[in-house]
Amino acid sequence: MNILVTGGSGQLGRAIKDVAENSEHRFIYTYMSSQNHDGMVHLDISDPEEVNKVMDDHNIDVIVNCAGYTDVERAESEEDKAFKANAKAVEILSGAAKARGAVLIHISTDYIFDGSSSRPYREDAEASPLSVYGRSKLAGELAVRASGARYMIIRTSWLYSRYGKNFVKTILKKSEEQPLLKVVSDQVGTPTYAGDLAEFILTLLEPENLEKTGTYNYTDEGVCSWYDLACEVCEMSGNLCEVVPCETGEYPVKAARPHYSVLNKSKVKKTFGIEIPYWKDSLRHCLSEIATSLRSSQ
């Protein structure tokens, strides 16, 4: 099969490239930035003509949409850009998939929920996003469902990897440079290693799994706060930095975040018969990857 991976230069796109290295499928990775990426195809997913051309040129069977506007704070002042990338572009991709009988695997987020629940959110829980980012991602989900295309919407949370910018890498760097860090302790969710999500996405490419369309939650196992995650990063990396818990209100932010956004994964485990790694185990693996990468670059 021919697999189009949008957002190929991002965290998840690069993680998919790593795990798909020996795959029997043909992967076409795309990017949107002005910076050239060797081996990737430039594609503006908000341009229908460009999308249709790439789909036709490469005879695409499956789209994995990892692209999107992910800056939660900046989205509050750039609503048009957020909705263009997270909703309008998704509508275009969905239409292209529908027209060709392709399957769309679309990545969504826990931020479509308001965090008022005290139990993990199931796939059919009512969405009520608090931020522009969350509303734009929910609009993308609605566009997928309305398109008539065959689809899988995969909701995930707190994504990190050795690539790009993410919370884990930020804490790792700051804990090396500063003796004390204040980290929010009243936002609870689940960190998800991009490599684990990428492995799961590859299992979806099996012919029998592509027929299991619908919406699924996928994160690593377990629950923690941002404070807990920061503490683990410091402990596992051996950085002697004091991490102090604080409340969300102590940091002035534009975008409201859900205080509780844990996702229930019983459906995805039952449907696909998978085991999901525990977040601490995956964090340890990722930190090892980062350390190895740093040593090789020195």
Side-chain angles (χ1 to χ4, degrees):
M1 287 191 302
N2 296 320
I3 319 296
L4 180 69
V5 180
T6 64
S9 61
Q11 285 194 89
L12 183 55
R14 295 174 74 176
I16 291 174
K17 191 173 185 179
D18 286 344
V19 301
E21 187 175 6
N22 298 317
S23 172
E24 62 183 10
H25 303 301
R26 175 174 171 255
F27 287 81
I28 299 91
Y29 299 91
T30 76
Y31 69 98
M32 273 188 65
S33 67
S34 57
Q35 180 181 356
N36 184 47
H37 293 272
D38 291 341
M40 296 188 187
V41 176
H42 184 274
L43 173 63
D44 180 353
I45 59 173
S46 66
D47 185 326
E49 290 187 6
E50 285 193 30
V51 170
N52 287 323
K53 185 177 188 306
V54 169
M55 292 285 289
D56 291 339
D57 287 351
H58 298 279
N59 193 25
I60 298 300
D61 301 296
V62 178
I63 303 171
V64 182
N65 183 33
C66 304
Y69 187 111
T70 59
D71 191 324
V72 178
E73 278 295 284
R74 187 175 293 179
E76 295 297 310
S77 57
E78 295 185 350
E79 185 169 349
D80 289 347
K81 289 184 179 180
F83 271 82
K84 181 180 180 181
N86 294 342
K88 184 60 181 177
V90 176
E91 181 181 352
I92 290 168
L93 290 171
S94 301
K98 167 66 173 175
R100 293 161 179 80
V103 176
L104 172 64
I105 300 174
H106 174 64
I107 308 303
S108 192
T109 175
D110 58 326
Y111 276 32
I112 66 164
F113 298 114
D114 63 13
S116 61
S117 176
S118 59
R119 304 183 68 179
Y121 286 94
R122 294 182 179 273
E123 287 81 356
D124 59 357
E126 182 179 358
S128 181
L130 300 174
S131 62
V132 168
Y133 169 72
R135 293 196 298 273
S136 69
K137 292 297 288 185
L138 177 58
E141 287 195 14
L142 296 175
V144 172
R145 295 190 186 98
S147 70
R150 291 190 295 154
Y151 70 85
M152 293 182 192
I153 294 172
I154 311 298
R155 293 180 185 144
T156 192
S157 68
W158 298 21
L159 202 66
Y160 70 92
S161 70
R162 65 190 174 105
Y163 299 116
K165 297 179 181 179
N166 57 70
F167 180 85
V168 168
K169 289 180 67 178
T170 296
I171 293 298
L172 186 61
K173 186 175 189 300
K174 286 187 175 182
S175 64
E176 292 171 348
E177 302 169 345
Q178 302 175 21
L180 183 145
L181 292 175
K182 292 179 68 176
V183 182
V184 170
S185 62
D186 60 355
Q187 293 177 26
V188 177
T190 306
T192 305
Y193 172 52
D196 294 337
L197 179 54
E199 291 277 9
F200 170 61
I201 289 171
L202 250 65
T203 69
L204 298 181
L205 301 179
E206 298 298 326
E208 65 274 16
N209 286 339
L210 282 174
E211 299 302 317
K212 300 172 183 177
T213 54
T215 301
Y216 298 94
N217 296 332
Y218 184 97
T219 69
D220 282 335
E221 293 282 22
V223 177
C224 72
S225 68
W226 291 111
Y227 165 75
D228 296 324
L229 177 54
C231 288
E232 285 297 331
V233 170
C234 292
E235 183 174 341
M236 290 181 184
S237 62
N239 291 344
L240 302 178
C241 174
E242 182 181 1
V243 184
V244 178
C246 68
E247 296 182 359
T248 298
E250 296 182 47
Y251 279 103
V253 293
K254 295 179 181 178
R257 273 82 164 170
H259 283 278
Y260 182 89
S261 61
V262 180
L263 301 179
N264 185 303
K265 297 175 289 292
S266 57
K267 178 182 175 182
V268 77
K269 289 188 284 189
K270 181 178 180 181
T271 302
F272 298 100
I274 60 171
E275 293 184 2
I276 299 177
Y278 180 47
W279 72 268
K280 286 187 182 181
D281 296 333
S282 293
L283 176 63
R284 186 174 293 105
H285 175 75
C286 181
L287 290 173
S288 176
E289 282 188 331
I290 292 172
T292 299
S293 178
L294 286 174
R295 286 196 297 270
S296 63
S297 64
Q298 291 173 350

